[in-house]
Amino acid sequence: MKQSITLNKITQLMGFGFLKPITALFTGKPQKEDIVNFLKKIIVPLLSILLFLGVWQGGSKALFNKEANFKIEKALADQGQAAADEIRACIASGEISCQPNTLPSPSQVWTSFKTLLEDHKVISADKLAFKEKTAVMNEKRIAAGKEPITYTGRPSFVDQIFTSLKTVFAGFLLALVIAVPIGVVIGLSTTLRSSFNWLIQIFKPVSPVVWLLLVFMIVKTLTKDSNSDSAFIISFISVGLCSMWATLVNTAMGVSSVDKDYINVAKVLKLGPMQKVFKVILPSSLPLIFTGLRITLSVAWMVLIAIELLAQSPGLGSFVWEEFQNGAIDSNSKIIVAMFIIGIIGFLLDRIMLTIQNMVSFNKNEGV
Amino acid sequence: MAYLELKNVCKTYEDASGGTKVLSNINLTIEEGEFVAIVGFTGSGKTTLVNLINGLIKPTSGEVLFKGEPVTDTSHERGVIFQNYSLLPWLTVGQNVYMAVKEAFPKESKEKLQAIVKDYVAMVSLSPAINKRPKELSGGMRQRVAVARALAMNPEMIIMDEPLGALDALTRGNLQDEILNIWSKDKRTALLITNDVDEGIYMADRIIPLKPGPNATLGPEFIIDIERPRDKTSLNDNETYKKNRNAIIEYLMDIGNERKSVSNETYELPEISPKSFVA
């Protein structure tokens, strides 16, 4: 019983309250209420997923037919009946070279997903083999004071995911390091708040693309005579700059709106200024700061894809762009795979932040 | 020399329309070891008065003297129990008290401070809840934590701003006894602000009504000359108690009525009659 309570508490904290019916079914005697809940919260969503897949399948089928008919008619108009029949037969046979290029169906996307995983296995095996092969040589090179040979082959899809995560976390940390201290300082002083407000209000709505260009201008010059990874630096700084505003505004608001009672307590206890900030003001504004950080992380993930796409830095964004440029028969379905992966990772990141947010907030609010 | 003295204290809150005068001409003296209660209607400026005495705000004119020195800031010598507990919700009961103790005795060792915290938490009988957070406690328990926090700093004077206002009658009674116990143990000076006449009579040596604001000022004092420790049940038959209670309530009723009928203005009504749509 106790186990089920802690389990429930954890799922509740993570905002996975909708899993409660399942845990109830497994951890205790299912009540009638639990079964109704199970139907409501598990079966209905599952049905909605099926409906979504159905619409998708139907839609892609319709688009496929439209594209196919268009191809056939074009052949008929340009080259005559024989060519049109040939194309019709080619499409029906499933030959890759003449398939219409349109929205892929769910099954195609699933196949691509498996292909990408296979591809990852192959590349990892390659990498491992390369490492073993060069191990001895690299030792010699390092001993001789030379740079070791590194694997420079094509990254797999999974590698791209990790590169993107690395970039987004670097950007997020940058946003945290910049926005929280500035937010606290601005929140504490009305003078500073009113003097910096215009700056925040102007820069907050600036598009990620513009930030990228600005960072590009600066970083390009700064890294001119070093061989550091400037694409990575540019993209993580742009991500940080784009996403830090939510944290900045929320922190300033949290700090400036601390309950008057707490301030009175701090005065009556005669806390010093530092003590007041660290023991009263910061803890009481933590929930708002974390709300800001949660928004920051989701904005960071969202702009990351666009920035990678533009900055040509490796990651999911450039994966999508390369696949789009590539135009192979399964490129479209790979893009859709990337779309789902991006969505799912964004969702998981948000849940992680929500969990932390719920742990630090003292006036328990239910997860959204 | 009086222990705490308020001389012609006025307090005006400035705003765009010139400001509201909340308190005017407050004169009050409290001797060492006394228990004084100030009784007043809600909104009559009681909290402003408390904040003036504990140093959170400064008077617009007049002087607040504590042991002969003007009050300019808060001080550990005057412990405050706030109306709405004001516990820090992210700290446990023990940590809330510890924070106060650490500020009051910065030179003591950690073990000593922890021992003090334990003692005072035990005094308000909350030892089992020492590691709980305020949100897990009931209103009465929270107020007891606030009492422990204020007293753990070992103040010379305890200022209580409607400390029991939000509690149910039973908890109220228990806490009244606890506060009286603590007060009588080492005879500190106490100032209780309340809206409950019975509570005032039960606990205090003197009761001073606060006439309702704006322009609130103190009324005539009533001395409660009843032997301590007082017993709640037999108090009801005590002649002094009855007499005082009636006198205070009558006084409060009178100023209450006065407040209602304060307007002498007569309004001239326009000369109009209903219009006839028929003719």
Side-chain angles (χ1 to χ4, degrees):
Chain A
M1 195 58 210
K2 198 168 178 193
Q3 205 182 358
S4 81
I5 288 172
T6 42
L7 198 59
N8 275 340
K9 208 171 173 183
I10 292 168
T11 48
Q12 203 77 43
L13 258 183
M14 291 184 66
F16 281 123
F18 60 88
L19 289 181
K20 206 175 151 202
I22 297 191
T23 53
L25 281 182
F26 285 111
T27 51
K29 282 184 216 152
Q31 306 285 318
K32 196 184 166 210
E33 210 177 295
D34 285 331
I35 293 168
V36 173
N37 262 338
F38 176 75
L39 283 177
K40 253 193 208 162
K41 294 193 174 167
I42 306 293
I43 301 296
V44 176
L46 276 181
L47 284 178
S48 78
I49 291 175
L50 284 181
L51 182 71
F52 170 73
L53 289 176
V55 171
W56 178 7
Q57 177 74 43
S60 66
K61 185 97 186 155
L63 287 171
F64 179 90
N65 287 339
K66 193 175 158 78
E67 187 84 26
N69 285 336
F70 183 72
K71 258 189 161 180
I72 293 166
E73 268 164 36
K74 191 160 181 259
L76 187 66
D78 292 353
Q79 291 157 297
Q81 187 63 41
D85 283 346
E86 197 180 306
I87 289 226
R88 195 193 301 274
C90 180
I91 290 173
S93 72
E95 175 101 14
I96 287 172
S97 61
C98 51
Q99 286 302 313
N101 182 13
T102 181
L103 178 73
S105 69
S107 59
Q108 279 172 311
V109 170
W110 180 244
T111 321
S112 293
F113 177 62
K114 284 192 288 192
T115 323
L116 284 171
L117 284 187
E118 277 306 311
D119 184 48
H120 172 64
K121 271 186 207 153
V122 171
I123 291 182
S124 318
D126 254 16
K127 256 190 194 168
L128 204 67
F130 179 84
K131 212 173 167 190
E132 275 167 16
K133 235 188 254 173
T134 53
V136 182
M137 207 206 290
N138 271 345
E139 261 172 45
K140 276 185 200 157
R141 283 179 71 98
I142 290 169
K146 285 187 208 161
E147 292 265 307
I149 302 171
T150 48
Y151 183 80
T152 51
R154 174 173 67 91
S156 76
F157 181 63
V158 181
D159 295 335
Q160 305 272 39
I161 295 177
F162 284 109
T163 317
S164 279
L165 282 176
K166 196 176 88 181
T167 320
V168 91
F169 277 118
F172 176 70
L173 282 182
L174 181 77
L176 182 110
V177 167
I178 297 178
V180 172
I182 294 184
V184 170
V185 172
I186 287 182
L188 284 176
S189 140
T190 24
T191 328
L192 279 179
R193 195 157 63 246
S194 50
S195 52
F196 280 107
N197 196 35
W198 66 270
L199 202 116
I200 296 172
Q201 299 304 337
I202 287 178
F203 284 146
K204 202 170 60 167
V206 170
S207 144
V209 180
V210 184
W211 281 116
L212 174 75
L213 296 178
L214 178 82
V215 174
F216 181 74
M217 292 174 215
I218 298 168
V219 172
K220 191 188 63 171
T221 319
L222 287 181
T223 58
K224 198 130 232 174
D225 40 33
S226 75
N227 52 359
S228 52
D229 184 2
S230 70
F232 170 72
I233 296 176
I234 290 172
S235 46
F236 97 79
I237 293 182
S238 316
V239 168
L241 287 182
C242 286
S243 60
M244 69 178 216
W245 303 101
T247 303
L248 184 61
V249 171
N250 267 294
T251 308
M253 197 168 83
V255 168
S256 62
S257 63
V258 174
D259 198 321
K260 193 131 198 295
D261 288 342
Y262 304 153
I263 301 286
N264 277 349
V265 169
K267 276 191 194 154
V268 167
L269 300 186
K270 292 194 80 88
L271 298 181
M274 280 318 248
Q275 289 238 314
K276 192 169 139 189
V277 170
F278 283 103
K279 292 208 163 154
V280 177
I281 292 177
L282 268 185
S284 87
S285 40
L286 265 192
L288 261 180
I289 295 180
F290 270 88
T291 312
L293 287 177
R294 188 176 156 208
I295 301 173
T296 289
L297 188 59
S298 60
V299 170
W301 183 247
M302 214 150 75
V303 301
L304 172 81
I305 307 300
I307 281 174
E308 279 177 350
L309 199 147
L310 284 164
Q312 298 297 310
S313 78
L316 280 173
S318 62
F319 172 83
V320 170
W321 186 241
E322 277 159 20
E323 286 302 333
F324 179 66
Q325 299 282 22
N326 189 352
I329 191 67
D330 62 347
S331 281
N332 284 358
S333 39
K334 279 183 182 168
I335 292 175
I336 306 281
V337 172
M339 192 183 99
F340 278 107
I341 296 288
I342 291 167
I344 290 167
I345 291 177
F347 172 66
L348 290 179
L349 290 179
D350 192 56
R351 285 295 137 165
I352 293 171
M353 285 309 288
L354 181 70
T355 311
I356 301 174
Q357 190 190 339
N358 281 346
M359 283 193 309
V360 299
S361 24
F362 39 85
N363 38 356
K364 269 221 148 327
N365 47 345
E366 289 284 304
V368 187
Chain B
M1 186 183 64
Y3 190 70
L4 178 86
E5 196 169 5
L6 273 71
K7 283 186 191 160
N8 296 323
V9 168
C10 296
K11 179 70 195 174
T12 311
Y13 284 117
E14 298 292 339
D15 59 16
S17 61
T20 28
K21 203 166 188 187
V22 183
L23 298 173
S24 74
N25 277 328
I26 302 279
N27 283 298
L28 174 70
T29 42
I30 298 176
E31 299 300 331
E32 192 160 1
E34 238 187 335
F35 197 128
V36 175
I38 291 178
V39 186
F41 293 98
T42 36
S44 56
K46 292 186 302 245
T47 302
T48 308
L49 184 60
V50 165
N51 287 347
L52 279 171
I53 295 172
N54 67 32
L56 280 174
I57 54 177
K58 292 189 183 69
T60 316
S61 67
E63 263 187 314
V64 181
L65 298 173
F66 180 71
K67 295 202 278 191
E69 300 281 322
V71 170
T72 52
D73 196 4
T74 54
S75 156
H76 290 154
E77 290 174 327
R78 299 183 299 276
V80 186
I81 302 173
F82 289 105
Q83 187 173 5
N84 39 12
Y85 326 136
S86 297
L87 300 176
L88 303 180
W90 54 90
L91 298 179
T92 63
V93 169
Q95 288 166 331
N96 261 299
V97 180
Y98 182 80
M99 192 165 152
V101 177
K102 198 174 164 228
E103 286 307 312
F105 313 105
K107 282 174 198 146
E108 295 287 356
S109 69
K110 209 173 170 189
E111 290 74 38
K112 182 89 192 285
L113 295 178
Q114 292 288 9
I116 297 177
V117 170
K118 259 197 192 141
D119 279 355
Y120 277 91
V121 173
M123 187 188 76
V124 291
S125 34
L126 278 178
S127 294
I130 193 162
N131 288 322
K132 288 198 170 147
R133 279 171 216 284
K135 71 165 183 245
E136 298 168 88
L137 305 178
S138 68
M141 290 160 99
R142 285 183 210 179
Q143 192 54 282
R144 264 144 63 194
V145 180
V147 171
R149 180 176 65 183
L151 295 176
M153 299 172 79
N154 202 11
E156 293 174 30
M157 180 177 182
I158 316 166
I159 302 167
M160 292 165 275
D161 180 11
E162 289 195 59
L164 313 174
L167 303 180
D168 63 278
L170 278 174
T171 326
R172 213 169 220 253
N174 288 340
L175 264 176
Q176 283 169 358
D177 290 336
E178 271 176 49
I179 292 174
L180 277 178
N181 257 338
I182 295 157
W183 167 76
S184 62
K185 224 184 270 168
D186 36 26
K187 281 285 170 196
R188 291 176 228 215
T189 316
L191 174 68
L192 171 76
I193 308 276
T194 179
N195 55 20
D196 181 351
V197 178
D198 291 340
E199 181 176 280
I201 300 178
Y202 177 60
M203 296 177 80
D205 297 323
R206 268 197 294 153
I207 294 189
I208 305 167
L210 184 67
K211 288 185 184 170
N215 271 326
T217 186
L218 293 175
E221 64 173 31
F222 296 84
I223 292 173
I224 314 297
D225 196 10
I226 302 175
E227 195 109 327
R228 286 176 194 273
R230 295 168 186 169
D231 180 59
K232 225 169 225 170
T233 15
S234 60
L235 210 56
N236 281 326
D237 301 322
N238 187 314
E239 282 306 317
T240 335
Y241 172 80
K242 279 195 226 167
K243 200 181 71 202
N244 275 315
R245 186 171 183 275
N246 290 340
I248 296 169
I249 289 178
E250 205 170 303
Y251 177 78
L252 286 174
M253 295 280 278
D254 280 350
I255 52 175
N257 287 336
E258 214 173 281
R259 180 156 71 151
K260 269 180 218 149
S261 56
V262 77
S263 167
N264 291 324
E265 208 173 320
T266 50
Y267 295 98
E268 247 178 66
L269 298 176
E271 289 276 340
I272 46 170
S273 51
K275 189 176 174 184
S276 169
F277 290 99
V278 183

